[in-house]
Amino acid sequence: MRNLIKADLQRILRKKSIWLTFIFMVAFVTGMIFHDLAKVPDKSFGFVTTATDSLSYVAVVLGIVLVVNVYADDFKSTAYINVVGRGVNRLKFIIAKFLDAVILLVGMYVCAGALLFGLQAALGLSFTSMEIAYVFWYCVGDIIITAACLSIASLLFYVTGNNALGILAFFGVNMIIPVAIEFIKIDPTVAKFHLDRFYVDGAASSMVSDFMMGQVGAGLLKLFLILAVYVAAAIVGSIVLFRKKELDF
């Protein structure tokens, strides 16, 4: 599995799209910070809030790029059939693909962290420990949300082998469903059920708040539930269904 991950990462890192995403992240985050800092009196707080908000948009773009490069390319070229046909266990294949996405996702956020601290030094700003913790946990929340959306979208790839459905699933899980939940919350009857707290982005936001407030136990519990319900369950579903799928070698 290590060789499969290494080969995948080498293939993906040779693609222009992942580097264009990196350039977009640097330009977008930097541009938004300089734009917003000119309008706020508290520069440090403005820096932190703008940085985290802009990284949320970057996470969506990065998620789409990872869906295409990690999953869609293999299914479009049917390369996954050749890999499985050469004796790679389907379980290892599914886990390797998810780890590919997580490694690239975390790597991009590590670069984002380096960018933020570089901009902080260049602007001569100083952050409080609370502001640093806020940026850290907010980024962790973004990573978890994107990883969960990728794992759910991958289920469609393994079941159908259809790129369009897999990409549409990512859009649906990452954007359409959260917007729909916000829309139906307008109805007081529905609002009392707090559906947003159970969906992955709302649960991740609640988890971040718990860690920020020092409620580590509650934060860890929500982290475990998110990983179990939205990540592990999707991966298990992919394993079960992909094992049953007949491949034309």
Side-chain angles (χ1 to χ4, degrees):
M1 186 166 66
R2 184 187 306 171
N3 291 334
L4 180 58
I5 293 172
K6 181 180 178 181
D8 270 347
L9 292 177
Q10 289 175 340
R11 172 182 62 82
I12 294 168
L13 291 174
R14 285 197 296 266
K15 290 182 172 292
K16 292 180 180 179
S17 56
I18 196 72
W19 295 107
L20 289 174
T21 305
F22 175 77
I23 294 170
F24 166 75
M25 178 196 71
V26 173
F28 182 70
V29 172
T30 303
M32 290 299 296
I33 287 173
F34 277 97
H35 176 267
D36 288 358
L37 282 187
K39 302 184 295 183
V40 295
D42 188 340
K43 302 300 183 184
S44 294
F45 181 75
F47 183 104
V48 167
T49 54
T50 300
T52 51
D53 287 345
S54 57
L55 282 173
S56 292
Y57 291 103
V58 172
V60 175
V61 175
L62 178 58
I64 295 169
V65 171
L66 292 177
V67 166
V68 172
N69 285 291
V70 175
Y71 295 102
D73 279 359
D74 265 11
F75 283 85
K76 180 180 179 180
S77 65
T78 66
Y80 74 103
I81 295 178
N82 295 329
V83 173
V84 175
R86 289 201 302 267
V88 175
N89 184 285
R90 297 191 190 197
L91 169 62
K92 291 182 179 180
F93 177 80
I94 291 171
I95 294 175
K97 284 294 177 184
F98 180 70
L99 291 178
D100 289 341
V102 171
I103 290 169
L104 292 167
L105 180 60
V106 172
M108 190 69 76
Y109 267 86
V110 169
C111 292
L115 170 65
L116 294 182
F117 283 107
L119 289 173
Q120 172 215 358
L123 293 168
L125 300 175
S126 59
F127 295 153
T128 65
S129 58
M130 182 65 73
E131 288 170 338
I132 294 173
Y134 178 78
V135 172
F136 173 78
W137 287 114
Y138 200 98
C139 289
V140 170
D142 277 350
I143 291 171
I144 290 172
I145 292 170
T146 306
C149 293
L150 287 169
S151 65
I152 296 171
S154 70
L155 180 61
L156 268 293
F157 279 104
Y158 293 120
V159 172
T160 68
N162 187 299
N163 282 351
L165 288 178
I167 295 170
L168 182 61
F170 179 82
F171 276 107
V173 174
N174 192 275
M175 290 178 282
I176 298 174
I177 294 178
V179 171
I181 290 175
E182 290 299 317
F183 180 76
I184 63 176
K185 277 171 58 180
I186 298 173
D187 186 335
T189 305
V190 178
K192 67 182 181 181
F193 293 105
H194 301 290
L195 296 179
D196 55 318
R197 296 181 184 177
F198 299 98
Y199 196 61
V200 59
D201 56 347
S205 296
S206 178
M207 176 203 73
V208 169
S209 297
D210 286 339
F211 281 120
M212 287 296 299
M213 296 299 292
Q215 299 173 353
V216 179
L220 289 174
L221 176 60
K222 289 173 184 176
L223 173 61
F224 173 78
L225 290 174
I226 292 169
L227 294 177
V229 174
Y230 291 102
V231 177
I235 292 175
V236 170
S238 297
I239 293 169
V240 171
L241 296 173
F242 192 52
R243 276 178 172 173
K244 297 180 180 179
K245 185 179 178 64
E246 293 186 7
L247 304 179
D248 297 323
F249 295 105

